[in-house]
Amino acid sequence: MQHKEYDHIILLAHGSPDPLWKKPFEALYEQAVEFYGSDHSSLAYMELTTPTLEDVVGQLDEKITKVAVLPLFFAVGRHLRQDVPAQIDALQNEHLQIDLLPPIGDDELVKKAMYTAIARHLGREQ
Amino acid sequence: MQHKEYDHIILLAHGSPDPLWKKPFEALYEQAVEFYGSDHSSLAYMELTTPTLEDVVGQLDEKITKVAVLPLFFAVGRHLRQDVPAQIDALQNEHLQIDLLPPIGDDELVKKAMYTAIARHLGREQ
């Protein structure tokens, strides 16, 4: 049996008031739920729409003690250096550890997939 | 020999005044240049920093006639539905066709890589 690093993962997207913009994040979340169940994953938005990180953490089962926040971002800017860490600091307590992971765009497999997508449009397969 | 769909691909990121935010997009672009040469790829930003799409298209060799704009975005919102198509309309002419591709986050391989990244953080490999 593999090591289960976190009890729960929160996918955190930037947020937009545009419902169409939210669709791919919802689709990613729905697939995570299909694989792992809604006990193990949530979707939250940093701003401009709900649920917020506070909403999602407030609804976690009290048995959950170790949570990861995985930003659905390509890059770390002010939001992930300042705003989100401050939100997380306010939400953590002695029973609940919340780790902020690097953004999903920084994942080696995701980066490799992006290179391959670019190559394909240029008519070259890697 | 494979079909070469486009002469040139412009990677289009949202843009931020934060130089640290720009780094992963620059890294993606540098790898594209390493593979395909700077004749075949450019990096542009939609707002808040340079080079803009206008800057990049203005510097294309006149032999280039078929260009793709690949948004380094997860989702299509107002920017990709309205702002960028309007920019492209203004830049196209009878010698230069510019196609706006779906965002890179919509690529099947990129989506699969994102699912795998999520699975890994939950200690489950797909």
Side-chain angles (χ1 to χ4, degrees), chain A residues 121, chain B residues 3 5-12 53 57 60 64-71 80 84-85 87-89 91-93 96-103:
Chain A
H121 290 299
Chain B
H3 171 62
E5 198 174 354
Y6 292 104
D7 301 325
H8 194 95
I9 192 164
I10 301 174
L11 308 178
L12 180 73
L53 203 51
V57 171
L60 290 177
I64 290 171
T65 60
K66 203 167 173 201
V67 171
V69 173
L70 177 61
L80 295 183
V84 176
Q87 284 181 291
I88 286 176
D89 275 351
L91 290 167
Q92 286 194 111
N93 60 52
L96 183 65
Q97 176 192 331
I98 307 177
D99 290 350
L100 179 60
L101 302 175

Short mmCIF file of all heavy atoms in Angstrom, two decimals, chain A residues 121, chain B residues 3 5-12 53 57 60 64-71 80 84-85 87-89 91-93 96-103:
data_model
loop_
_atom_site.label_atom_id
_atom_site.label_comp_id
_atom_site.label_asym_id
_atom_site.label_seq_id
_atom_site.Cartn_x
_atom_site.Cartn_y
_atom_site.Cartn_z
N HIS A 121 1.55 21.28 -32.39
CA HIS A 121 1.04 22.36 -33.23
C HIS A 121 2.05 22.78 -34.30
O HIS A 121 1.68 23.37 -35.30
CB HIS A 121 0.64 23.56 -32.39
CG HIS A 121 -0.59 23.31 -31.57
ND1 HIS A 121 -1.79 23.01 -32.15
CD2 HIS A 121 -0.78 23.27 -30.24
CE1 HIS A 121 -2.69 22.81 -31.19
NE2 HIS A 121 -2.10 22.97 -30.03
N HIS B 3 3.53 16.67 -41.54
CA HIS B 3 2.90 17.92 -41.93
C HIS B 3 3.22 19.01 -40.90
O HIS B 3 3.08 18.81 -39.70
CB HIS B 3 1.39 17.70 -41.99
CG HIS B 3 0.63 18.96 -42.18
ND1 HIS B 3 0.79 19.75 -43.29
CD2 HIS B 3 -0.29 19.57 -41.40
CE1 HIS B 3 0.00 20.80 -43.18
NE2 HIS B 3 -0.66 20.72 -42.05
N GLU B 5 2.00 22.17 -39.49
CA GLU B 5 0.71 22.85 -39.52
C GLU B 5 0.84 24.38 -39.57
O GLU B 5 0.10 25.04 -40.27
CB GLU B 5 -0.11 22.42 -38.30
CG GLU B 5 -1.57 22.72 -38.45
CD GLU B 5 -2.39 22.15 -37.29
OE1 GLU B 5 -1.83 21.44 -36.43
OE2 GLU B 5 -3.58 22.44 -37.25
N TYR B 6 1.77 24.91 -38.79
CA TYR B 6 1.96 26.36 -38.73
C TYR B 6 3.43 26.71 -38.95
O TYR B 6 4.32 25.95 -38.59
CB TYR B 6 1.53 26.89 -37.35
CG TYR B 6 0.04 26.78 -37.14
CD1 TYR B 6 -0.49 25.78 -36.32
CD2 TYR B 6 -0.84 27.64 -37.78
CE1 TYR B 6 -1.87 25.65 -36.15
CE2 TYR B 6 -2.20 27.53 -37.60
CZ TYR B 6 -2.71 26.54 -36.79
OH TYR B 6 -4.06 26.42 -36.62
N ASP B 7 3.65 27.90 -39.51
CA ASP B 7 5.03 28.39 -39.68
C ASP B 7 5.61 28.85 -38.35
O ASP B 7 6.83 28.85 -38.15
CB ASP B 7 5.04 29.63 -40.59
CG ASP B 7 4.47 29.36 -41.96
OD1 ASP B 7 4.67 28.24 -42.47
OD2 ASP B 7 3.81 30.27 -42.50
N HIS B 8 4.71 29.31 -37.50
CA HIS B 8 5.18 29.98 -36.28
C HIS B 8 4.11 29.85 -35.21
O HIS B 8 2.91 29.93 -35.52
CB HIS B 8 5.42 31.47 -36.61
CG HIS B 8 6.20 32.20 -35.57
ND1 HIS B 8 7.56 32.38 -35.63
CD2 HIS B 8 5.80 32.79 -34.41
CE1 HIS B 8 7.96 33.06 -34.57
NE2 HIS B 8 6.91 33.32 -33.81
N ILE B 9 4.53 29.66 -33.99
CA ILE B 9 3.57 29.58 -32.88
C ILE B 9 3.92 30.67 -31.87
O ILE B 9 5.09 30.87 -31.52
CB ILE B 9 3.54 28.17 -32.27
CG1 ILE B 9 2.35 28.00 -31.33
CG2 ILE B 9 4.83 27.81 -31.56
CD1 ILE B 9 2.05 26.55 -31.02
N ILE B 10 2.89 31.40 -31.47
CA ILE B 10 3.08 32.43 -30.44
C ILE B 10 2.45 31.92 -29.15
O ILE B 10 1.24 31.65 -29.10
CB ILE B 10 2.42 33.77 -30.85
CG1 ILE B 10 3.02 34.29 -32.16
CG2 ILE B 10 2.59 34.81 -29.73
CD1 ILE B 10 2.33 35.54 -32.72
N LEU B 11 3.28 31.73 -28.15
CA LEU B 11 2.77 31.35 -26.83
C LEU B 11 2.28 32.63 -26.16
O LEU B 11 3.04 33.60 -26.04
CB LEU B 11 3.89 30.71 -25.99
CG LEU B 11 4.65 29.56 -26.66
CD1 LEU B 11 5.76 29.06 -25.73
CD2 LEU B 11 3.70 28.43 -27.01
N LEU B 12 1.02 32.63 -25.77
CA LEU B 12 0.43 33.86 -25.21
C LEU B 12 0.06 33.64 -23.75
O LEU B 12 -0.85 32.86 -23.44
CB LEU B 12 -0.82 34.24 -26.01
CG LEU B 12 -1.53 35.52 -25.53
CD1 LEU B 12 -0.71 36.75 -25.90
CD2 LEU B 12 -2.93 35.62 -26.12
N LEU B 53 1.25 41.00 -28.14
CA LEU B 53 0.97 40.27 -29.38
C LEU B 53 1.33 41.15 -30.59
O LEU B 53 1.91 40.67 -31.58
CB LEU B 53 -0.52 39.90 -29.39
CG LEU B 53 -0.99 38.74 -30.24
CD1 LEU B 53 -0.19 37.48 -30.00
CD2 LEU B 53 -2.47 38.47 -29.97
N VAL B 57 3.99 40.08 -33.52
CA VAL B 57 3.55 39.93 -34.91
C VAL B 57 4.28 40.94 -35.80
O VAL B 57 4.67 40.62 -36.94
CB VAL B 57 2.01 40.08 -35.02
CG1 VAL B 57 1.56 40.15 -36.49
CG2 VAL B 57 1.32 38.90 -34.33
N LEU B 60 7.63 39.55 -37.08
CA LEU B 60 7.71 38.28 -37.81
C LEU B 60 8.32 38.48 -39.19
O LEU B 60 8.05 39.49 -39.85
CB LEU B 60 6.31 37.66 -37.97
CG LEU B 60 5.64 37.12 -36.73
CD1 LEU B 60 4.23 36.62 -37.08
CD2 LEU B 60 6.45 36.00 -36.08
N ILE B 64 6.67 34.36 -43.20
CA ILE B 64 5.72 33.64 -42.34
C ILE B 64 4.29 34.05 -42.71
O ILE B 64 3.97 35.24 -42.74
CB ILE B 64 6.02 33.94 -40.85
CG1 ILE B 64 7.33 33.25 -40.46
CG2 ILE B 64 4.87 33.48 -39.95
CD1 ILE B 64 7.86 33.63 -39.11
N THR B 65 3.47 33.04 -43.03
CA THR B 65 2.11 33.35 -43.49
C THR B 65 1.03 32.69 -42.64
O THR B 65 -0.14 33.04 -42.73
CB THR B 65 1.90 32.88 -44.94
OG1 THR B 65 2.11 31.46 -44.99
CG2 THR B 65 2.86 33.57 -45.89
N LYS B 66 1.41 31.70 -41.83
CA LYS B 66 0.40 30.97 -41.06
C LYS B 66 0.87 30.83 -39.61
O LYS B 66 1.81 30.09 -39.32
CB LYS B 66 0.16 29.60 -41.71
CG LYS B 66 -1.19 29.05 -41.36
CD LYS B 66 -1.61 27.86 -42.20
CE LYS B 66 -2.91 27.31 -41.64
NZ LYS B 66 -3.17 25.94 -42.01
N VAL B 67 0.21 31.55 -38.74
CA VAL B 67 0.65 31.66 -37.35
C VAL B 67 -0.44 31.12 -36.42
O VAL B 67 -1.64 31.33 -36.67
CB VAL B 67 0.95 33.14 -37.00
CG1 VAL B 67 1.20 33.33 -35.52
CG2 VAL B 67 2.15 33.63 -37.81
N ALA B 68 -0.03 30.43 -35.38
CA ALA B 68 -0.96 30.00 -34.34
C ALA B 68 -0.66 30.76 -33.06
O ALA B 68 0.51 30.97 -32.72
CB ALA B 68 -0.79 28.50 -34.08
N VAL B 69 -1.72 31.16 -32.38
CA VAL B 69 -1.57 31.73 -31.04
C VAL B 69 -2.07 30.67 -30.05
O VAL B 69 -3.24 30.27 -30.10
CB VAL B 69 -2.38 33.03 -30.89
CG1 VAL B 69 -2.36 33.51 -29.44
CG2 VAL B 69 -1.82 34.11 -31.81
N LEU B 70 -1.16 30.20 -29.22
CA LEU B 70 -1.51 29.17 -28.24
C LEU B 70 -1.59 29.81 -26.85
O LEU B 70 -0.55 30.17 -26.28
CB LEU B 70 -0.46 28.05 -28.24
CG LEU B 70 -0.66 26.94 -27.21
CD1 LEU B 70 -1.98 26.21 -27.42
CD2 LEU B 70 0.50 25.94 -27.25
N PRO B 71 -2.79 29.98 -26.31
CA PRO B 71 -2.91 30.63 -25.00
C PRO B 71 -2.40 29.71 -23.88
O PRO B 71 -2.82 28.56 -23.77
CB PRO B 71 -4.41 30.87 -24.85
CG PRO B 71 -5.00 30.73 -26.24
CD PRO B 71 -4.12 29.72 -26.91
N LEU B 80 -10.13 35.45 -23.68
CA LEU B 80 -9.95 34.62 -24.88
C LEU B 80 -11.18 34.60 -25.78
O LEU B 80 -11.09 34.24 -26.94
CB LEU B 80 -9.55 33.19 -24.49
CG LEU B 80 -8.19 33.05 -23.79
CD1 LEU B 80 -7.88 31.58 -23.52
CD2 LEU B 80 -7.07 33.67 -24.62
N VAL B 84 -8.65 38.85 -27.04
CA VAL B 84 -7.62 38.32 -27.92
C VAL B 84 -8.13 38.16 -29.36
O VAL B 84 -7.42 38.55 -30.30
CB VAL B 84 -7.02 37.00 -27.35
CG1 VAL B 84 -6.01 36.40 -28.32
CG2 VAL B 84 -6.36 37.27 -25.99
N PRO B 85 -9.37 37.64 -29.59
CA PRO B 85 -9.86 37.61 -30.97
C PRO B 85 -9.88 39.00 -31.63
O PRO B 85 -9.56 39.13 -32.81
CB PRO B 85 -11.28 37.04 -30.83
CG PRO B 85 -11.21 36.19 -29.61
CD PRO B 85 -10.27 36.91 -28.68
N GLN B 87 -7.82 41.50 -30.95
CA GLN B 87 -6.42 41.82 -31.26
C GLN B 87 -5.98 41.10 -32.54
O GLN B 87 -5.31 41.68 -33.39
CB GLN B 87 -5.50 41.36 -30.11
CG GLN B 87 -5.50 42.23 -28.88
CD GLN B 87 -4.52 41.67 -27.84
OE1 GLN B 87 -4.75 40.60 -27.28
NE2 GLN B 87 -3.43 42.38 -27.60
N ILE B 88 -6.36 39.82 -32.63
CA ILE B 88 -5.96 39.02 -33.80
C ILE B 88 -6.61 39.56 -35.07
O ILE B 88 -5.95 39.69 -36.10
CB ILE B 88 -6.31 37.53 -33.56
CG1 ILE B 88 -5.32 36.94 -32.54
CG2 ILE B 88 -6.31 36.73 -34.86
CD1 ILE B 88 -5.60 35.51 -32.14
N ASP B 89 -7.90 39.91 -34.99
CA ASP B 89 -8.58 40.48 -36.16
C ASP B 89 -7.84 41.69 -36.70
O ASP B 89 -7.72 41.88 -37.90
CB ASP B 89 -10.01 40.90 -35.79
CG ASP B 89 -10.98 39.74 -35.88
OD1 ASP B 89 -10.58 38.66 -36.38
OD2 ASP B 89 -12.14 39.90 -35.43
N LEU B 91 -4.72 42.29 -36.47
CA LEU B 91 -3.34 41.98 -36.91
C LEU B 91 -3.30 41.14 -38.18
O LEU B 91 -2.27 41.08 -38.85
CB LEU B 91 -2.60 41.23 -35.79
CG LEU B 91 -2.25 42.07 -34.56
CD1 LEU B 91 -1.81 41.17 -33.41
CD2 LEU B 91 -1.13 43.06 -34.90
N GLN B 92 -4.40 40.46 -38.49
CA GLN B 92 -4.41 39.60 -39.68
C GLN B 92 -4.49 40.45 -40.94
O GLN B 92 -5.04 41.55 -40.93
CB GLN B 92 -5.64 38.69 -39.66
CG GLN B 92 -5.52 37.57 -38.69
CD GLN B 92 -6.57 36.49 -38.93
OE1 GLN B 92 -6.25 35.39 -39.35
NE2 GLN B 92 -7.82 36.82 -38.68
N ASN B 93 -3.98 39.90 -42.01
CA ASN B 93 -4.18 40.53 -43.32
C ASN B 93 -4.14 39.44 -44.38
O ASN B 93 -4.03 38.26 -44.06
CB ASN B 93 -3.14 41.63 -43.55
CG ASN B 93 -1.72 41.10 -43.52
OD1 ASN B 93 -1.40 40.14 -44.22
ND2 ASN B 93 -0.88 41.70 -42.68
N LEU B 96 -1.20 37.16 -44.01
CA LEU B 96 -0.90 36.58 -42.69
C LEU B 96 -2.18 36.07 -42.03
O LEU B 96 -3.06 36.86 -41.64
CB LEU B 96 -0.26 37.66 -41.79
CG LEU B 96 0.18 37.19 -40.40
CD1 LEU B 96 1.31 36.16 -40.51
CD2 LEU B 96 0.62 38.37 -39.55
N GLN B 97 -2.27 34.76 -41.91
CA GLN B 97 -3.40 34.14 -41.22
C GLN B 97 -2.99 33.83 -39.77
O GLN B 97 -1.93 33.25 -39.54
CB GLN B 97 -3.77 32.84 -41.95
CG GLN B 97 -4.87 32.05 -41.27
CD GLN B 97 -5.00 30.65 -41.85
OE1 GLN B 97 -4.70 30.41 -43.03
NE2 GLN B 97 -5.43 29.71 -41.01
N ILE B 98 -3.80 34.25 -38.84
CA ILE B 98 -3.48 33.98 -37.42
C ILE B 98 -4.65 33.22 -36.81
O ILE B 98 -5.78 33.72 -36.78
CB ILE B 98 -3.24 35.29 -36.63
CG1 ILE B 98 -2.18 36.16 -37.31
CG2 ILE B 98 -2.82 34.97 -35.19
CD1 ILE B 98 -1.95 37.51 -36.62
N ASP B 99 -4.39 32.00 -36.35
CA ASP B 99 -5.43 31.18 -35.72
C ASP B 99 -5.27 31.20 -34.21
O ASP B 99 -4.15 31.03 -33.70
CB ASP B 99 -5.31 29.72 -36.17
CG ASP B 99 -5.70 29.54 -37.63
OD1 ASP B 99 -6.24 30.48 -38.24
OD2 ASP B 99 -5.46 28.43 -38.16
N LEU B 100 -6.38 31.37 -33.53
CA LEU B 100 -6.35 31.27 -32.06
C LEU B 100 -6.70 29.83 -31.68
O LEU B 100 -7.80 29.34 -31.96
CB LEU B 100 -7.37 32.24 -31.45
CG LEU B 100 -7.47 32.24 -29.93
CD1 LEU B 100 -6.14 32.61 -29.28
CD2 LEU B 100 -8.57 33.20 -29.45
N LEU B 101 -5.76 29.16 -31.04
CA LEU B 101 -5.96 27.76 -30.64
C LEU B 101 -6.69 27.71 -29.29
O LEU B 101 -6.72 28.70 -28.56
CB LEU B 101 -4.61 27.06 -30.51
CG LEU B 101 -3.72 27.05 -31.77
CD1 LEU B 101 -2.37 26.42 -31.44
CD2 LEU B 101 -4.40 26.31 -32.90
N PRO B 102 -7.25 26.55 -28.95
CA PRO B 102 -7.79 26.40 -27.60
C PRO B 102 -6.66 26.54 -26.57
O PRO B 102 -5.49 26.31 -26.90
CB PRO B 102 -8.35 24.96 -27.59
CG PRO B 102 -8.45 24.56 -29.02
CD PRO B 102 -7.40 25.32 -29.76
N PRO B 103 -6.99 26.90 -25.35
CA PRO B 103 -5.92 27.09 -24.36
C PRO B 103 -5.19 25.78 -24.05
O PRO B 103 -5.77 24.70 -24.17
CB PRO B 103 -6.68 27.59 -23.12
CG PRO B 103 -8.08 27.15 -23.31
CD PRO B 103 -8.32 27.14 -24.79
#
